[in-house]
Amino acid sequence: MSLMERGNVRPVTAVAWASNSGTCPKDFTLISLTEDGASANFTRTFGMKSGYYLCFSKDSAGGMVVSDIRILSDKDSLPHGYCFIAEHLEPKATVSKKKRVCVRIVPVGSVETAVLDIKLTAKSKMMLQHYTFVGDIHGYVLWYRKGYFSKPTPQAKPRSVSLDIRQLSLEQPSPPLPLRPSNPPPPQLPPSRLSHRRHTLQTKDELDKPADGSIHGITALDGVPFSLHPKFETQANETNSDLNIPIKSLQDIENEYNYTFTVEENAAKRIRPSVQMAGIPSTQ
């Protein structure tokens, strides 16, 4: 079983152009020779000595892989998800735009297969086993091998655990202090000369107020002092008989204030005579 079948090969993560090994980026492999032994220098004309080379990288630090490679002519539009390869050239060097190489770069976790290797041949009749034909470009033929790759195993980052010994103590924590109400009850005033009726109303008023002391429990009578007429003022411990207020039963009240409304009923039953004005005919 080959390395490709076992998936123990690192994938290609980037492809670029470079003028020479000096301009080739770090961690990139420069393809200087073809598989049939010819120079892999892409030159624009026959008389030009300087050119550019194809290079690729397998550095997985970026978390991206190359999933496909295509060669486009100057009339083709760039497919969705693809981008032209980078150029690391000398100041006066340029890349021919008649045919351009584009790649599709995807996150390493989104695919199971990716481009594993790139090769060039100078003769179109030469076939490379296990490689896919991409196309010809400037007298060379581009090939790539695609398959399963070994994904980098995520490494756990060392955790720095620092304990402050001064914060560690075997002493028991002190018990919490008792809670104190934020609004203590008012001090009790000495008993004054208040009537039993006033004392009862004040007690009921305290019960009717909401516990949260909101404004909804305030009425128009709050704060208005209440007292009996001096005629009826008496000690709180005296009985109701000392007030000289006659106590009547229900029957006494009905006998005293009973009213039959006989006059009103007779008036409602009385029929008024029809009155016709002179000179105005009556309506039928």
Side-chain angles (χ1 to χ4, degrees):
M1 184 178 295
S2 63
L3 292 176
M4 178 181 62
E5 295 174 349
R6 290 199 304 264
N8 293 329
V9 182
R10 292 191 302 165
V12 175
T13 58
V15 184
W17 294 112
S19 295
N20 46 55
S21 59
T23 62
C24 183
K26 183 182 179 180
D27 299 327
F28 273 71
T29 300
L30 188 74
I31 306 177
S32 58
L33 295 175
T34 64
E35 290 301 305
D36 43 12
S39 174
N41 189 349
F42 288 81
T43 55
R44 298 181 59 181
T45 60
F46 180 78
M48 290 184 60
K49 295 182 179 181
S50 62
Y52 45 90
Y53 297 85
L54 195 65
C55 59
F56 61 92
S57 173
K58 291 191 174 184
D59 184 16
S60 59
M64 308 293 287
V65 294
V66 177
S67 62
D68 190 26
I69 302 177
R70 293 187 184 182
I71 295 178
L72 303 179
S73 64
D74 54 353
K75 298 181 180 180
D76 297 332
S77 59
L78 186 66
H80 177 71
Y82 287 75
C83 63
F84 294 113
I85 63 176
E87 299 178 0
H88 304 278
L89 307 175
E90 293 179 347
K92 296 183 180 181
T94 57
V95 176
S96 175
K97 306 300 182 182
K98 292 184 178 180
K99 286 190 175 181
R100 305 181 65 180
V101 179
C102 64
V103 294
R104 184 172 184 263
I105 301 178
V106 296
V108 65
S110 63
V111 291
E112 295 292 334
T113 60
V115 176
L116 305 179
D117 192 19
I118 299 174
K119 291 186 180 297
L120 293 171
T121 58
K123 298 178 181 178
S124 59
K125 296 182 180 180
M126 184 178 180
M127 302 296 294
L128 297 180
Q129 191 177 4
H130 304 303
Y131 280 76
T132 301
F133 172 79
V134 179
D136 62 279
I137 175 172
H138 310 316
Y140 296 95
V141 179
L142 180 61
W143 307 80
Y144 73 80
R145 188 181 70 179
K146 191 173 182 179
Y148 295 95
F149 59 93
S150 58
K151 296 183 179 181
T153 304
Q155 297 180 358
K157 296 182 179 180
R159 301 176 59 184
S160 58
V161 180
S162 60
L163 295 178
D164 192 355
I165 305 302
R166 293 175 297 179
Q167 296 180 357
L168 300 178
S169 176
L170 299 178
E171 298 179 359
Q172 295 294 334
S174 59
L177 297 176
L179 298 178
R180 296 182 179 179
S182 58
N183 297 322
Q188 295 293 336
L189 298 177
S192 58
R193 188 179 179 185
L194 297 176
S195 65
H196 180 72
R197 176 64 177 170
R198 181 178 180 182
H199 177 72
T200 305
L201 290 176
Q202 288 180 348
T203 305
K204 182 177 181 302
D205 182 66
E206 293 294 335
L207 295 176
D208 292 340
K209 289 183 179 180
D212 56 354
S214 61
I215 195 173
H216 300 285
I218 300 176
T219 64
L221 295 179
D222 290 345
V224 179
F226 176 82
S227 62
L228 291 176
H229 193 272
K231 177 182 178 181
F232 302 103
E233 184 70 27
T234 183
Q235 298 293 335
N237 55 357
E238 292 182 357
T239 60
N240 293 333
S241 60
D242 296 337
L243 298 177
N244 297 325
I245 298 177
I247 301 177
K248 298 181 180 181
S249 63
L250 178 61
Q251 188 64 36
D252 295 337
I253 296 175
E254 290 182 354
N255 294 337
E256 184 176 354
Y257 299 101
N258 185 25
Y259 187 72
T260 59
F261 295 94
T262 304
V263 178
E264 287 78 6
E265 290 179 357
N266 293 336
K269 293 179 182 179
R270 187 179 303 169
I271 301 176
R272 291 184 178 183
S274 59
V275 179
Q276 297 182 358
M277 299 180 64
I280 300 176
S282 61
T283 58
Q284 301 295 332

